[in-house]
Amino acid sequence: SNGGDDEGMSVSDVARALFSKSGDAAVRAPLLVAMVVMVCQQFSGINAVIFFSGTILNSAGMANQDLGGAIVMGIQVVATGISCLLMDRAGRRPLLIGSLGGMALAAGTMSLYFALRPACPPWVALGALVVYIVSFSLGLGPIPWLLMAEILPARARGVAASAATLLNWTCSFVVTETFADLVQWIEPAGAFLVFAGVCVAGCGYVLVAVPETKGLQLAEVEALFVARRSD
């Protein structure tokens, strides 16, 4: 970036860009994308799946929940490492779409498992758990953070990235604090069905609103958003 792009925008400038038509539209569009993807990351149910992983593994016959937790985290680390290798080959959009699609399928399967148990065999939940965690780790886990750095204009990146990160952690807090009440209200089957719905909606949003940034310079990414506004 050159010239005025090196002058950082203030919090009020970024807020105006986000909420006011008179604000900087070149900041608004990428910031909205960054924020929506962060919301999808947290409301996809990742914390709920981690929370229920012990129950799922226990029902599948694994009595040692500590070992089960270690296996879950190991799968997450390995899949995230694979994602890092794939990002520059497959691109951000395909990984996000595949990730959200896999998570939607897995969350829907877990909803079915909790609705039908004990008639539904435990391996169904175990398989869904593995698919969900691998899918999350391949796309929706790491890519929102990379995407945020790639799409936010340099002049707004500091404040805008902080705002998106704050939103992410706020959503994480909300999901963690309300999950137990949600399960009491609509049962685990209902909760996982909600998460599946969020993943489907997120997949649709990525298809419509998230540009591919693989191999692009920041100026080229900004031009993509300008072209989308003019369509």
Side-chain angles (χ1 to χ4, degrees):
S1 54
N2 298 312
D5 282 358
D6 292 330
E7 298 176 9
M9 293 176 70
S10 67
V11 173
S12 61
D13 290 335
V14 172
R16 191 179 306 112
L18 187 60
F19 297 112
S20 171
K21 289 184 179 180
S22 63
D24 191 338
V27 172
R28 182 186 308 116
L31 179 53
L32 278 174
V33 167
M35 286 182 155
V36 172
V37 174
M38 289 296 190
V39 169
C40 288
Q41 184 192 68
Q42 291 302 327
F43 282 98
S44 67
I46 182 61
N47 290 330
V49 171
I50 299 289
F51 179 82
F52 264 103
S53 62
T55 302
I56 292 169
L57 292 169
N58 196 32
S59 68
M62 184 174 288
N64 188 335
Q65 292 194 12
D66 289 338
L67 176 61
I71 290 173
V72 167
M73 296 309 295
I75 292 171
Q76 202 167 2
V77 169
V78 171
T80 301
I82 294 171
S83 174
C84 292
L85 298 175
L86 289 176
M87 278 183 204
D88 284 328
R89 295 184 181 183
R92 283 63 161 150
R93 269 171 57 90
L95 283 177
L96 271 179
I97 292 165
S99 173
L100 283 158
M103 290 165 66
L105 179 65
T109 302
M110 278 189 271
S111 174
L112 191 66
Y113 167 76
F114 280 108
L116 298 180
R117 69 173 182 172
C120 194
W123 61 262
V124 171
L126 184 60
L129 175 67
V130 172
V131 169
Y132 184 97
I133 290 173
V134 168
S135 296
F136 179 84
S137 301
L138 284 175
L140 195 60
I143 289 179
W145 302 102
L146 173 65
L147 196 66
M148 179 172 68
E150 290 183 332
I151 65 176
L152 293 174
R155 62 186 178 279
R157 189 174 297 148
V159 174
S162 297
T165 302
L166 176 62
L167 178 63
N168 181 284
W169 283 105
T170 301
C171 291
S172 176
F173 174 79
V174 169
V175 171
T176 303
E177 286 297 307
T178 60
F179 179 64
D181 292 333
L182 183 65
V183 167
Q184 283 191 338
W185 182 36
I186 57 175
E187 304 290 329
F192 282 106
L193 194 59
V194 169
F195 297 141
V198 171
C199 292
V200 170
C203 191
Y205 180 79
V206 172
L207 280 167
V208 170
V210 178
E212 179 56 69
T213 57
K214 182 182 73 170
L216 298 182
Q217 298 295 320
L218 183 57
E220 295 173 304
V221 174
E222 289 191 40
L224 280 179
F225 282 103
V226 169
R228 283 169 178 249
R229 288 203 312 275
S230 61
D231 287 345

